[in-house]
Amino acid sequence: MPASRSELSRWQFDLTWSLFEYHLADLTSEDFFWEPTSHCWTIRPDGTPDWADTEPDPVPVPTIAWLTWHIGWWWSVALDHANGRTPRERTEIAWPGAGTAIAWLGGLRAEWLDRLTDADFDAPSAYPFGEEAGLTFAHTVAWVNAELMKNVSEIGQLRIQRRAA
């Protein structure tokens, strides 16, 4: 392989992040809370994200506010695991609001990029699949890249739909 695993993972991550920046560039506070249907998950006025312990059927359409909280939640917990900290519970991860959500995610990005070294890739990692899976930090990195791609595309699609509405 011409590039190291960390270089390849970082390249993939940076590509996804550049698409994210494209969609984040002109978001307004109203965009974060736009609901394209009545069956949505969002962040409530008290700051609480909608949630169900069992996935509803049909799955609610998330707002951009909910998606940015969701990214912040899983990424914060991934960083807790990667840095040997006690992982926070979902309810401990607060959404900072439309005015600072992008900066919050940028801070998580900076901390994550510090973790992408070849030396770390072979270390055991239980997140997010559990210890019984026997996976490594390389698997966690691949999962973060995939989860970020999915969430970025969801935000992009909501942004495009709102502009077309």
Side-chain angles (χ1 to χ4, degrees):
M1 175 157 59
S4 71
R5 291 181 294 167
S6 63
E7 290 169 333
L8 183 59
S9 295
R10 181 178 227 141
W11 177 87
Q12 183 184 47
F13 177 89
D14 287 342
L15 175 63
T16 302
W17 192 264
S18 70
L19 296 171
F20 199 22
E21 287 177 324
Y22 171 77
H23 292 303
L24 295 176
D26 66 347
L27 285 181
T28 66
S29 294
E30 293 79 24
D31 292 333
F32 279 89
F33 293 99
W34 178 67
E35 296 184 7
T37 182
S38 61
H39 188 60
C40 282
W41 271 358
T42 193
I43 304 294
R44 296 298 158 189
D46 67 357
T48 304
D50 291 330
W51 187 259
D53 289 328
T54 303
E55 191 167 285
D57 184 19
V59 175
V61 176
T63 62
I64 292 173
W66 190 92
L67 286 163
T68 55
W69 164 79
H70 180 69
I71 293 168
W73 164 52
W74 61 252
W75 212 352
S76 294
V77 175
L79 282 161
D80 288 345
H81 281 274
N83 291 312
R85 300 185 295 241
T86 301
R88 287 168 278 178
E89 296 295 325
R90 173 185 47 80
T91 55
E92 295 178 86
I93 310 294
W95 187 65
T100 56
I102 294 169
W104 176 49
L105 297 177
L108 294 171
R109 173 186 181 262
E111 187 178 353
W112 185 250
L113 290 175
D114 290 342
R115 297 296 312 168
L116 298 182
T117 67
D118 281 336
D120 292 330
F121 272 50
D122 293 325
S125 179
Y127 188 75
F129 304 106
E131 287 186 36
E132 65 281 356
L135 300 177
T136 65
F137 186 64
H139 294 95
T140 300
V141 169
W143 175 81
V144 165
N145 281 350
E147 187 71 17
L148 185 61
M149 279 182 236
K150 178 185 82 68
N151 290 153
V152 166
S153 67
E154 291 168 326
I155 289 170
Q157 189 61 43
L158 285 167
R159 181 182 154 271
I160 290 166
Q161 287 176 342
R162 177 159 165 75
R163 295 297 187 274

